[in-house]
Amino acid sequence: MSKKAIILISFFVVLSAGFLGYAGYVIKGETGTFFGKDKLPVLGAPGHTVPGFSFTDQDGHTKAKADVEGKIYVSEFFFTTCTGICPKMNANMDKVYAKYKDNPNFLILSHTVDPEHDSVPVLKAYAAKHGADSKNWWFLTGDKKQLYRMARQAYLVDDGVYTGEEDFVHTQWFALVDKTGQIRGLYEGTKNQDVNKLIEDIDRLMEE
C-alpha cells in the first residue's frame, strides 16, 4: 500500500471518529445519553414545578417543600378506610418502597384525602401495616383544601376543581417527581405494568 493511500485512510478514520464523537455529543445534548435514549418528559405547563406545602406525617412531624428538595419521589393520594382502589395501589407502592427504601435520595409521599378521619395515629397504624419507615415513606395529613389543591394543581393526578367540604378526590394515579420538583411521569397505581414502568423510570431519573 502506498504512503499516500495510508495517509488518506488515516485521514478518513480520524474524520469518521470525529463525526461520530460530535454526533454522540449532539445526541447527548438532546436526549441525555450518547446512546440516544430519550429523557423522561416534563409534564404540565412550561416551568411547572411542585409548589410549597406543609403537611404532617405519621410521626407528627411537619413536612415541607424544603424536605423534598434534591430528592426523587413518588406522590399518591389515598384514604385509610378505602376498600376500592387504595389497597391495590398501596400493595403496588410496597414494591416501589422495597426497591428504594435504602436509597437516601428517594421518598414516597402518600397524602390522605380524608384528613377528618385520617389523623396522625390512624396514619401511624396504617404505615405500620406496610412496614413503612417515616424516614422515606411519609403518610401525610393536613388541611383538606391544600391537600386537594396539591393533587390537582401540583401533582396533576386529578382534573377536578375544589367545590367545598363535600368535594372528594379519588384517584389511582402516582406522580413521579424529579430532584427539581418537575413532574416526570404519571402511572396508574392499580396496574402492575404501570408500576413496573414507574420503577424503570425511577432508575432512569437516578441516572440523570
Side-chain angles (χ1 to χ4, degrees), residues 46-142:
H48 176 83
T49 58
V50 175
F53 59 85
S54 180
F55 297 122
T56 305
D57 75 2
Q58 66 265 40
D59 289 338
H61 298 148
T62 299
K63 298 296 184 183
K65 184 176 181 179
D67 298 305
V68 300
E69 288 179 350
K71 297 181 184 294
I72 293 167
Y73 67 97
V74 177
S75 176
E76 68 157 346
F77 291 79
F78 81 108
F79 59 108
T80 62
T81 56
C82 172
T83 58
I85 61 175
C86 302
K88 177 63 174 177
M89 289 166 60
N90 281 327
N92 280 331
M93 192 68 87
D94 286 342
K95 301 174 187 176
V96 180
Y97 179 66
K99 180 164 184 181
Y100 300 103
K101 64 181 180 180
D102 296 322
N103 189 321
N105 296 313
F106 178 80
L107 296 167
I108 298 173
L109 277 60
S110 296
H111 308 75
T112 179
V113 296
D114 185 15
E116 291 84 0
H117 176 271
D118 291 342
S119 61
V120 169
V122 170
L123 291 177
K124 181 77 171 178
Y126 190 90
K129 291 180 180 178
H130 287 269
D133 191 322
S134 58
K135 71 180 181 182
N136 52 12
W137 190 349
W138 306 340
F139 289 84
L140 301 170
T141 188

Side-chain angles (χ1 to χ4, degrees), residues 122-198:
V122 170
L123 291 177
K124 181 77 171 178
Y126 190 90
K129 291 180 180 178
H130 287 269
D133 191 322
S134 58
K135 71 180 181 182
N136 52 12
W137 190 349
W138 306 340
F139 289 84
L140 301 170
T141 188
D143 176 71
K144 182 178 180 179
K145 189 172 183 179
Q146 183 185 175
L147 286 162
Y148 283 29
R149 185 168 59 247
M150 292 296 291
R152 290 164 171 162
Q153 299 177 21
Y155 296 113
L156 313 178
V157 296
D158 184 275
D159 59 3
V161 176
Y162 186 75
T163 58
E165 289 304 312
E166 299 303 314
D167 190 23
F168 198 70
V169 167
H170 201 203
T171 174
Q172 74 273 30
W173 294 96
F174 295 166
L176 175 59
V177 186
D178 68 18
K179 294 178 181 180
T180 66
Q182 298 178 117
I183 310 300
R184 303 299 295 274
L186 295 174
Y187 311 82
E188 289 197 61
T190 56
K191 294 183 177 180
N192 290 332
Q193 63 267 33
D194 267 36
V195 175
N196 291 336
K197 179 64 164 55
L198 168 61

Side-chain angles (χ1 to χ4, degrees), residues 4-15:
K4 184 177 180 180
I6 293 173
I7 291 173
L8 285 173
I9 292 172
S10 299
F11 171 77
F12 283 112
V13 167
V14 171
L15 185 64

Side-chain angles (χ1 to χ4, degrees), residues 20 23-29 31-38 207:
L20 290 173
Y25 176 79
V26 171
I27 291 171
K28 185 177 189 297
T31 66
T33 170
F34 284 108
F35 299 102
K37 186 176 182 180
D38 289 339
E207 296 174 358

